[in-house]
Amino acid sequence: MKFIVSSTSLFSHLQAISRVINSKNSLTILDCFLIEMQDGTLSMTASDNETTLSTSIEVSDYEGEGCFAVSSKTLLEALKEIPEQPLSFQINMDNLEITVEYLNGKYSMMGQNADEYPQAPSLGDNAVQVTMAADTLLAGVNRCIFATADDELRPVMNGIYFDITTESITLVASDGHKLVRNKTFMARGDEKAAFILPKKPANLLKNLLPKEEGDVQIGFDDKNAMFTMENYRMVCRLIEGRYPNYNSVIPSNNPHKATVDRGSFISALRRVSVFSSQASSLIKLSLSENQMKISAQDIDFSTSAEETLACQYDGTNMSIGFKSSFLIDILNNIAAQEVIIELADPSRAGVIVPEQQEDNEDLLMLLMPMMLND
């Protein structure tokens, strides 16, 4: 079997799918790429047995067809240093010896039998299908992924929940301290359905989607989901279980609302949080008429800091404590110039929303308060 392929095109596709491969695998064949030549299409697959990512390149010059596995580390390291030029692959399908010829030299390596490579699962007949624009899906995943948990006891919290209705698709993530609800009206399903996408495939989507245009086809059944993009296809195992009722933790009525410039708020938090207790990272927000005082102290080291920001606020004076790193994370994942902080009292969750929602979107972030000692 022979084929000629562009070095940079092959390397960029292999590098993108290589993120699936674990550093340690239970099956040695999972350290490999599965490469298949059929009808002028070169297909490449990488898998960790739970998530399978595949892509393909059209090849103009080829001879014969076949399938083989090759060490991902060896192939990527070998291709990394080759500038843009045609590579000629020649594979002896009897002993799986691979010869790669390029402008000034050649590589020789051994392949492995493709039959040992695990097959990606196929979706059942009852699979639900929805379509989302690549940029809409990317925006939702980007905003939610930081709020997912790492909780072995509650695995359902370790992924992004897709809540699909006939009017909208809502992406939700929460670790019990913070919650993100990103609702888009740009996509909808034919029926009510839901699934929980694990963190690893969500991170893979985050890396793949910026290069994609057009729509992403999402199909899923009880166990697996398939994301079909223009250049890539990902099949992954879903997290099984029932996601908590996220709407029940979002307060319906927060009478106290403060509108503040997001950039100034983040800068002030970063400066003041340096002086907070390393154990708790507690910062205190004290709201009074049209101003917010941000303060922190570390009693053990006798350090403290405070800053005052102008804001729009005409409610009663109140103080509330938050973990500074969580609050900064939330503000970093909102794109609006100004944000509204909605509060009920110091013991209830604070809701943070952009002052101006983007078209056809409803973004809400929630943060649980910390106890203040005073």
Side-chain angles (χ1 to χ4, degrees), residues 155-192:
V156 292
M157 307 296 279
N158 298 348
I160 297 176
Y161 180 62
F162 282 67
D163 189 1
I164 298 158
T165 68
T166 52
E167 295 165 3
S168 63
I169 295 180
T170 306
L171 274 63
V172 182
S174 176
D175 61 3
H177 302 287
K178 51 190 182 289
L179 177 143
V180 180
R181 186 194 71 190
N182 186 81
K183 183 183 284 193
T184 177
F185 298 99
M186 304 268 279
R188 57 185 65 84
D190 297 328
E191 57 186 301
K192 200 165 165 46

